Amino acid sequence: MGEFRKSLIVVVLNVCLCCFALSQMPLPIVTASMLKAATRVPHQVLERSPALALLLAHDLTQERYIDHLKRLYGYVAPTEAALAQVPHFEAWVPYAALVIKEAWLRKDLAYLGVTDVDLAALPRCEIPVPSTLSEAIGISYVLEGATLGGGIIGRHLVRSLGVTPRTGGAYYHNYGVKRGPRWRSFRG
């Protein structure tokens, strides 16, 4: 198994463990500081992962970037689909309907030459529907928090590949100048 795949599996497993831990807490008790603490270790693992190192490498190729987006799509699309099935989720995360990262990835991949047929054939993680609102909020916290690091990656993509929000980089450029305010709004 390649280093990229191993590191991605470790990150996903750590995120799942954090979300499970959060799901055991009553909803009113889950706070931004608890979410930050629960995701600290997986965040540190991700920062040191070979997958991130490959993405931020000075010799990043378009092929490697497309492969990365395909793998990310295989996680983000089923995760967002699972979150969409959680009853009352939008009441707790007011703009949840607008947080559709799968659409950004689909747009990027289409621009980079991945067809709908190719997209449908991509492997996808099996993501169960979160059983509690706390678990759904924890998962959403991880997905939304990833947009912060996306700014760093987005700037690297511009420098290394010339990728902009309109040329295959919508996912990593995400909310643009609204990134910080949206994160603060999400955290409450």
Side-chain angles (χ1 to χ4, degrees), residues 22-41:
L22 291 169
S23 73
Q24 305 309 302
M25 301 174 195
L27 189 59
I29 294 176
V30 176
T31 64
S33 62
M34 292 170 82
L35 288 167
K36 184 176 181 178
T39 58
R40 182 173 293 120
V41 171

Side-chain angles (χ1 to χ4, degrees), residues 54-60 151-163 173:
L54 284 172
L55 186 61
L56 292 173
H58 70 280
D59 61 346
L60 177 67
I152 295 165
I153 295 168
R155 288 188 294 279
H156 174 70
L157 292 172
V158 169
R159 286 190 308 271
S160 63
L161 298 176
V163 171
H173 288 276

Side-chain angles (χ1 to χ4, degrees), residues 4-5 7-9 11-12 15 46 49 51-52 55 63-81 100-106 108-109 112 119 122-127 142-144 146-147 149-150 153-154 157 168-174:
F4 176 87
R5 187 175 170 145
S7 64
L8 186 60
I9 290 170
V11 170
V12 170
V15 168
L46 177 61
S49 74
L52 186 59
L55 186 61
E63 293 76 25
R64 197 177 323 145
Y65 176 57
I66 292 169
D67 185 56
H68 170 78
L69 291 179
K70 287 177 178 178
R71 291 170 190 269
L72 196 55
Y73 184 86
Y75 173 72
V76 171
T79 301
E80 286 190 345
I100 311 236
K101 291 155 185 61
E102 180 268 346
W104 289 332
L105 288 166
R106 182 181 289 274
D108 292 343
L109 287 164
L112 295 166
L119 208 56
L122 291 177
R124 291 196 170 85
C125 296
E126 292 183 28
I127 307 290
V142 170
L143 287 177
E144 198 61 23
T147 64
I153 295 168
L157 292 172
Y171 179 82
Y172 283 112
H173 288 276
N174 51 65

